[in-house]
């Protein structure tokens, strides 16, 4: 069984590196930190490498142990968490050079780029996969690990609200709450608290919001000028795509933000109930989940908008 094979590889490895997708969200940072802490319980020291992460996550236990780079070039084992493709994996050179590779993920668009792939597209968060995994391995989920995993679950389910949330999710949440994980605090920090820059960007996104295709598609954007003017930092764009999604009648919300020094836009797409936005984004080399997906597209705002709306139209 895959879970046994994974444990076998972990036990064999002397050097382990943990990696996740670029611009890590709560599930990316939560699941990879939880994995680091769980490996310590198995007597294994792993390194977690991330180019950067949003200040929102400063409350996570052991977050200061995250490294930007490593002296080791060739790890015995590399584990990727919450990342659908090698292209999207931050610092993927460590993955490519590792002697053995494992992928643990919940994206339906995952292309199985590891030697061992443990992918469950039904799981609402990679963090929830880890909860089941740790229980199978007999690793006790303490308050620290629980805080990391609950952060992943809360951020990927919008506070246990998205349809991806299952009865199991609520049971895990209840179990962790009983153990002392402060779920209300996690919700407050990750979902409710907005930075000033995010608030300023929200105003611009609302001002520019266009409703297209009989109000079924919402479109808005921010560019580098906006981000400079409001002194935006990493993570300050989080949640802006939801503004369009929450408007009555909107099925697909499209939000794009300009990449630094590039004539390209990072696309965020959300859908209400029936359009599979992962399929739409796959057409542009991206991917994700049926109700939340992303991609990177070259061009101006108008060009990117036209390309996306023309594709989305086919699914309405
Ligand atoms: P975001 O809109 O950035 O919050 O992303 C929504 C979902 O789509 C997340 O699960 C991402 O991991 C996934 N995603 C975003 N961009 C890409 C991409 N370029 N390729 C594959 N998956 C993506
Ligand atoms: Mn993620
Ligand atoms: Mn995730």
């Amino acid at each position: 069984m895959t879970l046994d094979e994974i444990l076998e590889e972990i036990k064999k490895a002397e050097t382990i590196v943990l990696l996740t997708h670029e611009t890590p969200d709560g599930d990316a940072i939560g699941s990879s930190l939880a994995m680091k802490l769980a490996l310590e319980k198995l007597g294994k020291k792993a390194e977690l490498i991330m180019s950067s992460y949003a200040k929102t996550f400063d409350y996570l236990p052991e977050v200061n142990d995250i490294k930007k780079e490593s002296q080791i070039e060739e790890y015995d084992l590399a584990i990727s968490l919450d990342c659908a493709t090698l292209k999207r994996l931050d610092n993927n050179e460590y993955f490519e050079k590792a002697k053995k590779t494992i992928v643990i993920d919940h994206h339906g668009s995952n292309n199985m780029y590891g030697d061992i792939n443990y992918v469950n597209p039904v799981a609402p968060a990679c963090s929830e996969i880890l909860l089941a995994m740790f229980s199978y391995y007999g690793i006790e989920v303490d308050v620290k690990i629980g805080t990391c995993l609950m952060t992943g679950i809360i951020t990927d389910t919008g506070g246990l609200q998205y349809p991806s949330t299952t009865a199991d999710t609520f049971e895990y949440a209840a179990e962790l709450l009983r153990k002392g994980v402060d779920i209300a605090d996690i919700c407050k920090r990750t979902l409710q608290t907005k930075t000033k820059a995010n608030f300023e960007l929200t105003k611009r996104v609302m001002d520019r919001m266009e409703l297209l295709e009989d109000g079924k598609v919402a479109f808005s954007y921010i560019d580098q000028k906006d981000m400079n003017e409001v002194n935006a930092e990493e993570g300050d764009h989080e949640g802006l795509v939801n503004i369009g999604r929450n408007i009555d009648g909107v099925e697909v919300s499209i939000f794009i933000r300009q990449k630094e020094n590039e004539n390209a836009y990072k696309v965020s797409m959300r859908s209400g109930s029936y359009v599979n936005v992962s399929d739409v984004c796959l057409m542009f080399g991206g991917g994700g989940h049926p109700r939340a997906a992303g991609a990177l597209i070259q061009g101006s705002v108008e060009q990117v908008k036209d390309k996306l709306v023309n594709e989305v139209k086919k699914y309405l």
Side-chain angles (χ1 to χ4, degrees):
M1 183 181 169
T2 315
L3 280 181
D4 298 314
E5 283 172 46
I6 292 175
L7 188 59
E8 189 103 333
E9 292 303 333
I10 290 170
K11 283 185 176 158
K12 271 200 295 200
E14 273 176 24
T15 54
I16 304 175
V17 64
L18 304 176
L19 304 166
T20 186
H21 64 77
E22 53 186 15
T23 48
D25 50 25
D27 192 29
I29 190 165
S31 59
S32 49
L33 264 176
M35 185 55 123
K36 185 176 186 305
L37 293 166
L39 290 176
E40 276 165 21
K41 293 204 171 203
L42 293 173
K44 294 282 172 181
K45 199 169 153 33
E47 280 185 320
L48 172 52
I49 307 179
M50 250 176 236
S51 301
S52 60
Y53 59 84
K55 280 201 193 84
T56 312
F57 302 119
D58 277 348
Y59 71 92
L60 287 173
E62 323 275 327
V63 76
N64 294 326
D65 282 353
I66 296 176
K67 295 204 164 81
K68 278 195 189 308
E69 57 189 0
S70 160
Q71 307 300 336
I72 304 172
E73 275 190 24
E74 204 183 293
Y75 282 88
D76 291 337
L77 178 64
I79 306 177
S80 158
L81 296 129
D82 193 42
C83 183
T85 61
L86 185 61
K87 196 176 111 199
R88 229 173 102 70
L89 191 66
D90 186 27
N91 294 296
N92 58 14
E93 65 274 15
Y94 294 106
F95 195 88
E96 288 179 296
K97 286 186 194 148
K99 293 184 191 125
K100 199 89 193 174
T101 60
I102 295 173
V103 169
I104 303 170
D105 187 32
H106 70 124
H107 291 88
S109 59
N110 190 295
N111 64 2
M112 312 284 172
Y113 53 97
D115 296 323
I116 304 175
N117 299 283
Y118 192 65
V119 178
N120 177 6
V122 179
C126 185
S127 295
E128 190 167 311
I129 299 179
L130 292 190
L131 272 168
M133 199 167 160
F134 296 164
S135 150
Y136 182 79
Y137 294 156
I139 299 171
E140 201 228 354
V141 174
D142 55 20
V143 173
K144 277 188 186 179
I145 297 180
T147 300
C148 296
L149 294 176
M150 212 52 225
T151 293
I153 291 173
I154 289 296
T155 52
D156 265 22
T157 60
L160 307 178
Q161 289 182 35
Y162 298 157
S164 55
T165 313
T166 66
D168 282 349
T169 318
F170 281 100
E171 277 165 13
Y172 281 128
E175 205 179 299
L176 292 177
L177 189 60
R178 272 191 205 103
K179 278 195 179 163
V181 174
D182 193 342
I183 297 182
D185 183 60
I186 295 171
C187 289
K188 183 160 186 280
R189 287 173 183 275
T190 61
L191 303 177
Q192 289 154 20
T193 309
K194 305 282 177 213
T195 60
K196 286 203 181 65
N198 177 277
F199 174 71
E200 292 300 332
L201 292 174
T202 301
K203 290 201 278 188
R204 294 181 190 214
V205 168
M206 284 185 164
D207 256 357
R208 289 174 193 158
M209 188 69 73
E210 286 180 74
L211 293 177
L212 312 160
E213 304 297 319
D214 287 332
K216 292 196 184 96
V217 177
F219 174 87
S220 195
Y221 71 93
I222 51 174
D223 56 23
Q224 276 301 321
K225 190 165 164 279
D226 297 315
M227 286 186 270
N228 292 336
E229 282 170 3
V230 307
N231 295 318
E233 290 179 17
E234 174 147 11
D236 283 335
H237 62 274
E238 287 294 336
L240 296 175
V241 65
N242 296 332
I243 300 170
R245 191 204 52 190
N246 292 341
I247 302 169
D248 190 24
V250 169
E251 172 59 21
V252 177
S253 170
I254 306 171
F255 167 69
I256 64 172
R257 76 188 148 92
Q258 194 176 20
K259 288 275 282 185
E260 219 171 332
N261 308 320
E262 270 185 73
N263 184 34
Y265 283 80
K266 166 77 185 61
V267 179
S268 277
M269 229 186 253
R270 300 291 184 268
S271 63
S273 58
Y274 62 91
V275 173
N276 186 329
V277 286
S278 179
D279 285 351
V280 177
C281 287
L282 272 172
M283 296 297 293
F284 299 99
H289 310 286
R291 302 284 164 264
L296 184 70
I297 304 187
Q298 304 288 324
S300 65
V301 172
E302 284 303 313
Q303 286 167 335
V304 173
K305 177 178 126 187
D306 289 347
K307 282 185 199 174
L308 289 168
V309 174
N310 280 329
E311 193 55 37
V312 166
K313 259 190 207 169
K314 300 177 189 166
Y315 296 79
L316 290 171

